Amino acid sequence: MNTYFIAGHAKLPQGMAARSLYDSITITLELDFKYGVIVDASCTLATDHGKEYIRQLLRGYSLNDGIEEIIVKIKQHYRGKAGQAIQAAIKDVYIQFESVNQQP
């Protein structure tokens, strides 16, 4: 297997459907070991449509290039209440990614 699994979390805002299920949003990524490319992604939004939309937004990006472009894309394309929480979860994933990549 040439991929690994990583996750990031952030608190959800009040008044969201997903908030009745979870207090936080979780973004999980399957990353290519060599290039840090997002092979697949999932999140804990309440609707399948929202989950699939985020999946499509994230796939194909390399975390080796940073997350600025991903954050901009989320701001441009995701207009739901969870937008800031999704951005925060991506930032948390990136912290985990950097931590993993610094280990021998």
Side-chain angles (χ1 to χ4, degrees):
M1 185 172 252
N2 295 323
T3 62
Y4 65 100
F5 185 86
I6 196 165
H9 313 275
K11 193 156 184 71
L12 284 168
Q14 294 288 339
M16 289 196 57
R19 185 74 193 255
S20 65
L21 301 170
Y22 314 103
D23 281 335
S24 63
I25 188 165
T26 300
I27 301 273
T28 60
L29 302 178
E30 180 181 355
L31 297 173
D32 171 79
F33 266 114
K34 188 172 184 178
Y35 301 107
V37 172
I38 301 170
V39 175
D40 206 354
S42 66
C43 67
T44 56
L45 289 174
T47 66
D48 290 339
H49 190 201
K51 292 174 188 178
E52 181 60 25
Y53 194 82
I54 296 302
R55 180 176 178 249
Q56 290 178 37
L57 275 177
L58 299 178
R59 283 191 318 187
Y61 284 97
S62 172
L63 293 188
N64 288 333
D65 296 332
I67 59 168
E68 294 79 19
E69 189 175 344
I70 295 171
I71 296 297
V72 167
K73 194 163 190 177
I74 291 167
K75 286 178 182 178
Q76 288 175 342
H77 296 280
Y78 184 86
R79 304 292 174 94
K81 284 186 179 182
Q84 289 184 348
I86 292 168
Q87 292 170 49
I90 291 294
K91 290 174 185 176
D92 189 46
V93 165
Y94 190 68
I95 290 167
Q96 305 303 321
F97 171 77
E98 287 184 314
S99 173
V100 167
N101 282 341
Q102 291 177 2
Q103 295 176 4

XYZ file of all heavy atoms in Angstrom:
821
model
N 0.849 -1.180 0.000
C 0.000 0.000 0.000
C 0.893 1.241 0.000
O 1.823 1.323 0.779
C -0.904 -0.046 1.231
C -1.910 1.062 1.284
S -3.088 0.830 2.629
C -4.515 0.410 1.674
N 0.584 2.198 -0.842
C 1.397 3.405 -0.988
C 0.726 4.646 -0.429
O 1.069 5.766 -0.809
C 1.731 3.630 -2.467
C 2.604 2.528 -3.012
O 3.479 2.024 -2.317
N 2.350 2.116 -4.239
N -0.252 4.457 0.440
C -0.969 5.591 1.021
C -1.010 5.469 2.532
O -0.727 4.411 3.094
C -2.420 5.658 0.495
O -3.122 4.479 0.875
C -2.463 5.847 -1.008
N -1.361 6.578 3.186
C -1.616 6.548 4.617
C -2.811 7.428 4.937
O -3.248 8.237 4.124
C -0.382 6.922 5.442
C 0.128 8.339 5.282
C -0.169 9.315 6.218
C 0.933 8.688 4.205
C 0.324 10.601 6.089
C 1.426 9.975 4.066
C 1.116 10.922 5.013
O 1.597 12.195 4.880
N -3.355 7.239 6.146
C -4.593 7.876 6.595
C -4.264 8.902 7.662
O -3.448 8.648 8.543
C -5.489 6.775 7.183
C -6.857 7.222 7.580
C -7.881 7.254 6.658
C -7.132 7.559 8.895
C -9.159 7.630 7.036
C -8.399 7.937 9.285
C -9.417 7.969 8.345
N -4.886 10.071 7.564
C -4.639 11.148 8.519
C -5.958 11.889 8.751
O -6.817 11.913 7.872
C -3.513 12.072 7.991
C -2.953 12.956 9.082
C -3.955 12.838 6.783
C -1.640 13.610 8.704
N -6.116 12.481 9.941
C -7.373 13.149 10.260
C -7.130 14.482 10.966
O -6.134 14.655 11.655
C -8.230 12.249 11.156
N -8.074 15.408 10.780
C -8.066 16.690 11.474
C -9.463 16.991 11.980
O -10.449 16.502 11.434
N -9.535 17.789 13.033
C -10.814 18.062 13.686
C -10.969 19.559 13.953
O -9.985 20.270 14.128
C -10.894 17.317 15.026
C -10.485 15.893 14.926
N -11.345 14.901 14.545
C -9.290 15.279 15.134
C -10.717 13.752 14.536
N -9.463 13.959 14.884
N -12.223 19.995 14.031
C -12.542 21.376 14.408
C -13.961 21.418 14.940
O -14.812 20.607 14.560
C -12.400 22.310 13.208
N -14.229 22.363 15.814
C -15.556 22.517 16.423
C -16.541 23.073 15.394
O -16.214 23.991 14.647
C -15.464 23.449 17.621
C -16.688 23.436 18.489
C -16.317 23.869 19.889
C -17.473 23.778 20.833
N -17.864 22.432 21.177
N -17.739 22.503 15.369
C -18.799 22.976 14.471
C -19.553 24.149 15.092
O -19.703 24.205 16.309
C -19.802 21.845 14.195
C -19.354 20.766 13.232
C -20.313 19.583 13.284
C -19.278 21.313 11.815
N -20.062 25.070 14.262
C -20.864 26.174 14.796
C -22.255 25.698 15.226
O -22.733 24.660 14.765
C -20.972 27.137 13.607
C -20.739 26.313 12.403
C -19.853 25.171 12.822
N -22.884 26.456 16.090
C -24.260 26.171 16.520
C -25.219 26.270 15.335
O -24.971 26.987 14.379
C -24.689 27.184 17.594
C -23.925 27.092 18.886
C -24.285 25.851 19.696
O -25.332 25.263 19.527
N -23.374 25.450 20.567
N -26.317 25.527 15.408
C -27.374 25.647 14.406
C -27.181 24.822 13.158
O -27.880 25.024 12.172
N -26.266 23.891 13.184
C -26.020 23.038 12.020
C -26.642 21.667 12.239
O -26.668 21.166 13.349
C -24.518 22.841 11.801
C -23.830 24.060 11.307
S -22.232 23.591 10.651
C -22.731 22.411 9.417
N -27.090 21.043 11.154
C -27.655 19.692 11.255
C -26.618 18.712 11.795
O -26.917 17.872 12.637
C -28.153 19.240 9.884
N -25.390 18.830 11.348
C -24.331 17.910 11.793
C -24.049 18.079 13.277
O -23.596 17.146 13.943
C -23.062 18.136 10.986
N -24.337 19.247 13.826
C -24.074 19.514 15.237
C -24.925 18.624 16.136
O -24.540 18.303 17.249
C -24.321 20.998 15.534
C -23.979 21.447 16.926
C -22.460 21.541 17.103
N -22.113 21.668 18.502
C -21.716 22.780 19.073
N -21.565 23.877 18.358
N -21.430 22.800 20.337
N -26.106 18.202 15.633
C -26.945 17.296 16.421
C -26.327 15.896 16.485
O -26.654 15.117 17.373
C -28.354 17.229 15.837
O -28.334 16.663 14.549
N -25.429 15.588 15.564
C -24.744 14.295 15.559
C -23.356 14.366 16.184
O -22.916 13.441 16.857
C -24.608 13.777 14.113
C -25.907 13.572 13.342
C -25.605 13.292 11.872
C -26.710 12.441 13.957
N -22.638 15.451 15.917
C -21.252 15.604 16.351
C -21.027 17.014 16.887
O -21.631 17.960 16.398
C -20.277 15.410 15.180
C -20.554 14.228 14.295
C -21.158 14.395 13.054
C -20.193 12.949 14.680
C -21.405 13.313 12.221
C -20.442 11.866 13.854
C -21.046 12.053 12.626
O -21.280 10.981 11.819
N -20.119 17.159 17.840
C -19.726 18.494 18.301
C -18.661 19.099 17.396
O -18.483 20.303 17.356
C -19.165 18.440 19.732
C -20.267 18.347 20.766
O -21.394 18.779 20.487
O -19.980 17.843 21.867
N -17.952 18.231 16.701
C -16.871 18.710 15.842
C -16.974 18.061 14.471
O -17.671 17.067 14.291
C -15.507 18.389 16.476
O -15.334 16.999 16.583
N -16.278 18.668 13.535
C -16.178 18.086 12.202
C -14.832 17.380 12.121
O -13.839 17.844 12.675
C -16.328 19.138 11.089
C -16.423 18.457 9.726
C -15.205 20.157 11.113
C -16.925 19.368 8.624
N -14.842 16.259 11.465
C -13.604 15.523 11.217
C -13.400 15.435 9.715
O -14.330 15.091 8.981
C -13.675 14.098 11.815
O -13.879 14.206 13.224
C -12.397 13.325 11.540
N -12.208 15.775 9.287
C -11.800 15.604 7.888
C -10.762 14.492 7.891
O -9.779 14.563 8.640
C -11.157 16.882 7.308
C -12.101 18.072 7.378
C -10.617 16.645 5.908
C -13.039 18.254 6.235
N -10.990 13.471 7.094
C -9.994 12.409 6.969
C -9.474 12.397 5.535
O -10.224 12.638 4.588
C -10.571 11.033 7.337
O -11.662 10.718 6.471
C -11.029 10.991 8.781
N -8.199 12.147 5.424
C -7.557 12.117 4.109
C -6.755 10.841 3.943
O -6.103 10.378 4.885
C -6.599 13.297 3.952
C -7.155 14.699 4.114
C -6.036 15.725 3.965
C -8.274 14.967 3.127
N -6.795 10.303 2.745
C -5.887 9.240 2.348
C -4.848 9.915 1.461
O -5.198 10.504 0.434
C -6.616 8.147 1.578
C -5.704 7.019 1.134
C -6.411 5.945 0.340
O -7.654 6.000 0.199
O -5.720 5.045 -0.163
N -3.592 9.855 1.906
C -2.515 10.566 1.214
C -1.511 9.598 0.618
O -1.168 8.574 1.223
C -1.773 11.479 2.190
C -2.561 12.611 2.819
C -1.729 13.296 3.882
C -3.003 13.598 1.769
N -1.021 9.962 -0.547
C 0.068 9.248 -1.194
C 1.355 9.507 -0.409
O 1.659 10.662 -0.076
C 0.204 9.768 -2.628
C 1.425 9.249 -3.329
O 1.393 8.105 -3.794
O 2.415 10.015 -3.374
N 2.090 8.441 -0.057
C 3.321 8.592 0.717
C 4.356 9.472 0.015
O 4.960 10.337 0.632
C 3.974 7.223 0.965
C 3.593 6.594 2.263
C 2.849 5.435 2.287
C 3.970 7.151 3.479
C 2.499 4.838 3.475
C 3.621 6.565 4.678
C 2.886 5.402 4.674
N 4.558 9.244 -1.261
C 5.661 9.899 -1.965
C 5.419 11.384 -2.218
O 6.308 12.209 -2.004
C 5.919 9.185 -3.293
C 7.154 9.666 -4.015
C 7.475 8.796 -5.213
C 8.763 9.249 -5.863
N 9.132 8.397 -6.992
N 4.228 11.742 -2.659
C 3.959 13.118 -3.079
C 3.008 13.893 -2.164
O 2.790 15.075 -2.382
C 3.405 13.132 -4.506
C 4.348 12.518 -5.508
C 4.080 11.274 -6.064
C 5.525 13.168 -5.874
C 4.963 10.695 -6.974
C 6.404 12.608 -6.782
C 6.116 11.372 -7.323
O 6.980 10.797 -8.219
N 2.411 13.240 -1.175
C 1.471 13.913 -0.285
C 0.165 14.305 -0.954
O -0.550 15.175 -0.477
N -0.172 13.644 -2.069
C -1.385 13.960 -2.817
C -2.590 13.327 -2.122
O -2.544 12.187 -1.670
C -1.282 13.453 -4.274
C -2.615 13.596 -5.009
C -0.197 14.205 -5.008
N -3.682 14.088 -2.055
C -4.928 13.589 -1.479
C -5.574 12.643 -2.482
O -6.058 13.063 -3.534
C -5.889 14.745 -1.119
C -5.226 15.698 -0.115
C -7.212 14.186 -0.585
C -5.997 16.987 0.122
N -5.557 11.361 -2.148
C -6.133 10.314 -2.995
C -7.640 10.228 -2.760
O -8.418 10.044 -3.690
C -5.458 8.955 -2.703
C -6.113 7.827 -3.468
C -3.966 9.023 -2.996
N -8.032 10.376 -1.500
C -9.444 10.350 -1.152
C -9.642 11.159 0.126
O -8.693 11.375 0.879
C -9.941 8.924 -0.953
C -11.434 8.766 -1.213
O -12.117 9.783 -1.441
O -11.921 7.626 -1.197
N -10.867 11.605 0.348
C -11.179 12.428 1.518
C -12.595 12.142 1.981
O -13.452 11.757 1.190
C -11.048 13.913 1.155
N -12.821 12.358 3.262
C -14.172 12.266 3.793
C -14.308 13.271 4.933
O -13.318 13.783 5.452
C -14.494 10.854 4.287
O -13.689 10.520 5.392
N -15.561 13.556 5.289
C -15.818 14.465 6.402
C -17.133 14.088 7.060
O -17.921 13.320 6.506
C -15.826 15.918 5.944
S -17.192 16.340 4.869
N -17.365 14.638 8.235
C -18.552 14.283 9.004
C -19.684 15.297 8.871
O -20.403 15.552 9.835
C -18.193 14.090 10.496
O -17.556 15.277 10.972
C -17.298 12.896 10.703
N -19.852 15.860 7.694
C -21.034 16.685 7.453
C -22.273 15.789 7.497
O -22.175 14.574 7.308
C -20.938 17.387 6.098
C -19.910 18.518 5.996
C -19.815 19.027 4.568
C -20.256 19.655 6.946
N -23.444 16.374 7.712
C -24.666 15.587 7.904
C -25.208 14.973 6.616
O -25.795 13.899 6.650
C -25.744 16.449 8.552
N -25.008 15.618 5.489
C -25.599 15.107 4.245
C -24.556 14.433 3.372
O -23.389 14.820 3.339
C -26.256 16.238 3.428
O -25.237 17.135 2.974
C -27.296 16.991 4.249
N -25.001 13.423 2.639
C -24.110 12.742 1.700
C -23.629 13.704 0.616
O -22.478 13.624 0.181
C -24.814 11.546 1.046
C -25.050 10.408 2.019
O -24.349 10.338 3.056
O -25.947 9.582 1.750
N -24.507 14.607 0.202
C -24.131 15.575 -0.821
C -22.984 16.464 -0.339
O -22.015 16.706 -1.065
C -25.348 16.416 -1.199
C -25.132 17.265 -2.404
N -25.893 18.358 -2.672
C -24.237 17.205 -3.417
C -25.483 18.931 -3.791
N -24.474 18.249 -4.261
N -23.094 16.964 0.902
C -22.027 17.790 1.476
C -20.724 17.028 1.591
O -19.651 17.544 1.271
N -20.798 15.783 2.048
C -19.603 14.943 2.179
C -18.928 14.742 0.822
O -17.711 14.856 0.702
C -19.976 13.580 2.772
C -20.428 13.649 4.202
C -20.922 12.281 4.660
C -21.566 12.386 6.022
N -22.090 11.093 6.481
N -19.734 14.443 -0.191
C -19.187 14.215 -1.530
C -18.610 15.502 -2.125
O -17.579 15.478 -2.802
C -20.266 13.638 -2.452
C -19.801 13.342 -3.862
C -18.669 12.332 -3.962
O -18.504 11.493 -3.051
O -17.920 12.377 -4.962
N -19.245 16.625 -1.848
C -18.761 17.906 -2.366
C -17.370 18.219 -1.805
O -16.454 18.589 -2.556
C -19.751 19.023 -2.023
C -19.493 20.281 -2.802
C -19.965 20.416 -4.104
C -18.764 21.328 -2.254
C -19.722 21.570 -4.830
C -18.518 22.484 -2.979
C -19.001 22.595 -4.259
O -18.742 23.726 -4.980
N -17.204 18.048 -0.512
C -15.895 18.281 0.115
C -14.874 17.292 -0.435
O -13.732 17.661 -0.720
C -15.994 18.191 1.650
C -16.888 19.310 2.193
C -14.616 18.225 2.296
C -16.439 20.722 1.832
N -15.275 16.064 -0.605
C -14.381 15.040 -1.185
C -13.860 15.501 -2.547
O -12.665 15.436 -2.824
C -15.140 13.724 -1.301
C -14.339 12.595 -1.874
C -15.194 11.309 -1.840
N -14.465 10.228 -2.416
C -14.768 9.653 -3.580
N -15.829 10.059 -4.266
N -14.035 8.683 -4.042
N -14.765 15.976 -3.387
C -14.375 16.433 -4.720
C -13.473 17.659 -4.664
O -12.551 17.793 -5.477
C -15.617 16.731 -5.557
C -16.389 15.499 -5.949
C -17.643 15.850 -6.735
O -17.645 16.787 -7.534
N -18.709 15.119 -6.492
N -13.734 18.561 -3.716
C -12.904 19.765 -3.580
C -11.462 19.420 -3.201
O -10.523 20.085 -3.639
C -13.475 20.697 -2.511
C -14.560 21.671 -2.918
C -15.056 22.447 -1.712
C -14.083 22.632 -3.987
N -11.286 18.399 -2.376
C -9.967 18.115 -1.814
C -9.103 17.169 -2.640
O -7.873 17.290 -2.621
C -10.123 17.535 -0.395
C -10.803 18.452 0.622
C -10.933 17.734 1.957
C -10.040 19.756 0.778
N -9.715 16.263 -3.352
C -8.933 15.255 -4.080
C -7.993 15.881 -5.101
O -8.342 16.829 -5.788
C -9.847 14.259 -4.788
C -10.433 13.253 -3.852
C -11.103 12.126 -4.553
N -11.879 12.605 -5.694
C -12.670 11.858 -6.414
N -12.819 10.596 -6.138
N -13.328 12.361 -7.440
N -6.793 15.331 -5.153
C -5.818 15.743 -6.156
C -4.804 16.768 -5.684
O -3.782 16.959 -6.338
N -5.047 17.429 -4.559
C -4.088 18.405 -4.035
C -2.957 17.699 -3.312
O -3.158 16.677 -2.662
C -4.758 19.376 -3.063
C -5.579 20.422 -3.749
C -6.944 20.271 -3.887
C -4.983 21.559 -4.282
C -7.708 21.220 -4.536
C -5.735 22.521 -4.925
C -7.095 22.339 -5.054
O -7.830 23.284 -5.695
N -1.771 18.266 -3.393
C -0.625 17.755 -2.645
C -0.399 18.625 -1.414
O -0.230 19.841 -1.542
C 0.642 17.761 -3.504
O 1.766 17.434 -2.704
N -0.387 18.006 -0.243
C -0.111 18.760 0.977
C 1.343 19.209 1.033
O 1.682 20.101 1.803
C -0.479 17.949 2.215
C -1.968 17.663 2.409
C -2.217 17.027 3.777
C -2.817 18.903 2.262
N 2.193 18.622 0.203
C 3.582 19.091 0.109
C 3.639 20.536 -0.387
O 4.620 21.232 -0.138
C 4.406 18.202 -0.822
C 4.712 16.857 -0.222
O 4.768 16.708 0.994
N 4.905 15.859 -1.064
N 2.591 20.978 -1.075
C 2.521 22.350 -1.598
C 1.875 23.315 -0.613
O 1.658 24.475 -0.949
C 1.745 22.370 -2.915
C 2.430 21.584 -4.006
O 3.676 21.469 -3.974
O 1.721 21.063 -4.895
N 1.520 22.843 0.587
C 0.845 23.689 1.562
C -0.662 23.592 1.406
O -1.175 22.829 0.581
N -1.390 24.401 2.189
C -2.856 24.332 2.150
C -3.517 25.634 1.713
O -4.737 25.725 1.676
C -3.422 23.890 3.519
C -2.998 24.853 4.625
C -3.064 22.451 3.820
C -3.743 24.664 5.924
N -2.739 26.617 1.364
C -3.314 27.914 0.999
C -4.302 27.790 -0.154
O -5.400 28.359 -0.105
C -2.208 28.924 0.636
C -1.316 29.308 1.787
C -0.248 28.253 2.112
O 0.061 27.391 1.248
O 0.257 28.273 3.243
N -3.938 27.048 -1.186
C -4.818 26.891 -2.346
C -6.101 26.143 -1.968
O -7.192 26.481 -2.451
C -4.081 26.139 -3.465
C -4.828 26.131 -4.773
C -4.038 25.487 -5.897
O -2.813 25.310 -5.777
O -4.674 25.145 -6.915
N -5.985 25.160 -1.090
C -7.167 24.417 -0.628
C -8.097 25.342 0.153
O -9.314 25.330 -0.056
C -6.745 23.220 0.244
C -5.958 22.201 -0.580
C -7.964 22.558 0.884
C -5.304 21.093 0.242
N -7.539 26.154 1.038
C -8.344 27.076 1.845
C -9.086 28.059 0.940
O -10.280 28.316 1.118
C -7.472 27.816 2.884
C -6.864 26.841 3.894
C -8.268 28.915 3.585
C -7.850 26.089 4.757
N -8.393 28.601 -0.052
C -9.030 29.532 -0.997
C -10.175 28.832 -1.728
O -11.266 29.390 -1.871
C -7.994 30.094 -1.995
C -8.670 30.784 -3.158
C -7.041 31.043 -1.288
N -9.939 27.601 -2.149
C -10.974 26.873 -2.883
C -12.193 26.610 -1.991
O -13.324 26.737 -2.444
C -10.411 25.566 -3.422
C -11.298 24.930 -4.455
C -10.562 23.891 -5.248
C -11.418 23.470 -6.431
N -10.745 22.530 -7.287
N -11.975 26.266 -0.745
C -13.090 26.055 0.181
C -13.867 27.353 0.360
O -15.101 27.366 0.310
C -12.600 25.502 1.530
C -12.083 24.070 1.355
C -13.717 25.542 2.576
C -11.295 23.547 2.531
N -13.169 28.478 0.547
C -13.838 29.777 0.708
C -14.678 30.128 -0.518
O -15.771 30.672 -0.406
C -12.813 30.879 0.960
C -12.210 30.852 2.340
C -11.176 31.957 2.488
C -10.519 31.931 3.845
N -9.484 32.977 3.982
N -14.156 29.826 -1.701
C -14.852 30.168 -2.943
C -16.065 29.274 -3.198
O -17.083 29.746 -3.695
C -13.910 30.045 -4.139
C -12.878 31.115 -4.223
C -11.890 30.866 -5.363
O -11.772 29.758 -5.884
N -11.164 31.904 -5.730
N -15.946 27.997 -2.893
C -16.949 27.031 -3.338
C -17.884 26.495 -2.263
O -18.998 26.077 -2.592
C -16.261 25.847 -4.024
C -15.540 26.241 -5.263
N -16.180 26.434 -6.472
C -14.230 26.518 -5.479
C -15.287 26.800 -7.380
N -14.099 26.860 -6.805
N -17.469 26.492 -1.006
C -18.338 25.978 0.051
C -18.928 27.155 0.814
O -18.212 27.885 1.499
C -17.586 25.053 1.012
C -18.520 24.443 2.034
C -19.212 23.278 1.747
C -18.758 25.071 3.243
C -20.110 22.741 2.655
C -19.654 24.554 4.155
C -20.321 23.385 3.857
O -21.223 22.872 4.760
N -20.233 27.357 0.712
C -20.891 28.513 1.323
C -21.788 28.118 2.493
O -22.590 28.924 2.945
C -21.715 29.258 0.270
C -20.924 29.710 -0.949
C -19.923 30.798 -0.591
N -19.067 31.147 -1.699
C -19.305 32.134 -2.543
N -20.370 32.854 -2.438
N -18.439 32.379 -3.511
N -21.639 26.900 3.000
C -22.450 26.457 4.132
C -21.903 26.989 5.451
O -20.828 27.572 5.524
N -22.662 26.765 6.520
C -22.289 27.243 7.854
C -20.993 26.620 8.357
O -20.328 27.190 9.210
C -23.397 26.929 8.861
C -24.591 27.827 8.761
C -25.561 27.525 9.888
C -26.757 28.438 9.831
N -27.675 28.181 10.942
N -20.646 25.458 7.850
C -19.456 24.748 8.336
C -18.166 25.204 7.661
O -17.106 24.646 7.924
C -19.626 23.246 8.141
N -18.229 26.212 6.819
C -17.053 26.635 6.050
C -15.818 26.898 6.899
O -14.735 26.389 6.609
N -15.970 27.673 7.947
C -14.810 27.993 8.793
C -14.327 26.759 9.554
O -13.128 26.581 9.748
C -15.133 29.130 9.751
C -15.266 30.453 9.031
C -15.497 31.618 9.983
O -15.769 31.429 11.166
N -15.387 32.821 9.462
N -15.269 25.898 9.971
C -14.888 24.666 10.662
C -14.132 23.732 9.714
O -13.141 23.095 10.109
C -16.114 23.967 11.235
N -14.556 23.664 8.468
C -13.857 22.840 7.478
C -12.446 23.369 7.267
O -11.479 22.603 7.236
C -14.644 22.788 6.146
C -15.944 21.998 6.342
C -13.800 22.181 5.028
C -16.925 22.130 5.198
N -12.310 24.684 7.155
C -10.984 25.281 7.000
C -10.106 24.974 8.213
O -8.926 24.619 8.060
C -11.105 26.791 6.819
C -11.755 27.190 5.510
C -12.084 28.657 5.478
O -11.239 29.498 5.795
N -13.311 28.997 5.105
N -10.672 25.078 9.411
C -9.915 24.787 10.626
C -9.508 23.310 10.686
O -8.388 22.985 11.103
C -10.726 25.164 11.863
N -10.392 22.420 10.254
C -10.063 20.989 10.241
C -8.948 20.696 9.231
O -8.068 19.875 9.494
C -11.307 20.152 9.935
N -8.964 21.384 8.096
C -7.889 21.232 7.104
C -6.566 21.713 7.703
O -5.521 21.081 7.520
C -8.212 22.002 5.801
C -9.374 21.341 5.062
C -6.985 22.122 4.906
C -9.083 19.960 4.523
N -6.607 22.820 8.413
C -5.384 23.319 9.063
C -4.878 22.317 10.097
O -3.669 22.105 10.211
C -5.649 24.685 9.706
C -5.857 25.777 8.670
C -6.262 27.097 9.296
C -6.567 28.129 8.218
N -7.053 29.399 8.768
N -5.800 21.677 10.826
C -5.412 20.648 11.791
C -4.803 19.435 11.084
O -3.793 18.894 11.537
C -6.620 20.238 12.640
C -6.234 19.332 13.789
O -5.248 19.631 14.499
O -6.920 18.307 13.989
N -5.396 19.024 9.973
C -4.830 17.921 9.177
C -3.405 18.271 8.755
O -2.502 17.436 8.829
C -5.682 17.626 7.920
C -4.928 16.763 6.923
C -6.979 16.962 8.289
N -3.217 19.508 8.331
C -1.898 19.921 7.853
C -0.862 19.888 8.979
O 0.286 19.491 8.757
C -1.977 21.307 7.215
C -0.716 21.688 6.500
C -0.336 21.022 5.341
C 0.097 22.704 6.973
C 0.835 21.363 4.675
C 1.265 23.057 6.312
C 1.624 22.372 5.167
O 2.793 22.704 4.510
N -1.275 20.267 10.182
C -0.367 20.164 11.337
C 0.028 18.705 11.558
O 1.204 18.402 11.787
C -1.034 20.769 12.600
C -1.138 22.284 12.461
C -0.264 20.386 13.864
C -2.045 22.942 13.491
N -0.955 17.802 11.454
C -0.667 16.367 11.605
C 0.280 15.905 10.491
O 1.225 15.153 10.729
C -1.954 15.534 11.554
C -3.025 15.931 12.539
C -2.561 15.903 13.978
O -1.831 15.021 14.378
N -2.986 16.887 14.741
N 0.012 16.354 9.278
C 0.832 15.995 8.112
C 2.286 16.434 8.318
O 3.212 15.651 8.092
C 0.244 16.654 6.859
C 1.091 16.540 5.631
C 1.148 15.353 4.912
C 1.832 17.624 5.178
C 1.928 15.239 3.770
C 2.613 17.531 4.042
C 2.660 16.325 3.337
N 2.476 17.674 8.745
C 3.833 18.161 8.969
C 4.532 17.376 10.068
O 5.716 17.064 9.966
C 3.816 19.646 9.314
C 3.500 20.533 8.126
C 3.586 22.001 8.481
O 3.055 22.403 9.531
O 4.187 22.745 7.671
N 3.796 17.030 11.100
C 4.351 16.260 12.211
C 4.803 14.873 11.754
O 5.889 14.413 12.088
C 3.300 16.131 13.321
O 3.752 15.269 14.329
N 3.966 14.217 10.968
C 4.278 12.880 10.440
C 5.505 12.946 9.519
O 6.368 12.079 9.559
C 3.066 12.268 9.699
C 3.453 11.053 8.904
C 1.955 11.950 10.676
N 5.567 13.979 8.693
C 6.662 14.084 7.723
C 8.000 14.441 8.357
O 9.032 14.286 7.722
C 6.312 15.082 6.625
C 5.380 14.470 5.614
O 5.267 13.256 5.516
N 4.693 15.299 4.870
N 7.985 14.938 9.584
C 9.245 15.255 10.261
C 9.817 14.047 10.990
O 10.955 14.088 11.430
C 9.028 16.420 11.226
C 8.760 17.716 10.517
C 8.463 18.861 11.469
O 8.493 18.706 12.678
N 8.155 20.015 10.915
N 9.017 12.988 11.120
C 9.513 11.779 11.781
C 10.380 10.999 10.808
O 10.135 10.980 9.614
C 8.337 10.907 12.219
C 7.469 11.561 13.270
C 6.247 10.716 13.615
O 6.082 9.622 13.119
N 5.415 11.242 14.494
N 11.443 10.354 11.357
C 12.326 9.568 10.479
C 11.654 8.356 9.898
O 10.722 7.840 10.344
C 13.473 9.157 11.388
C 13.071 9.479 12.776
C 11.865 10.364 12.719
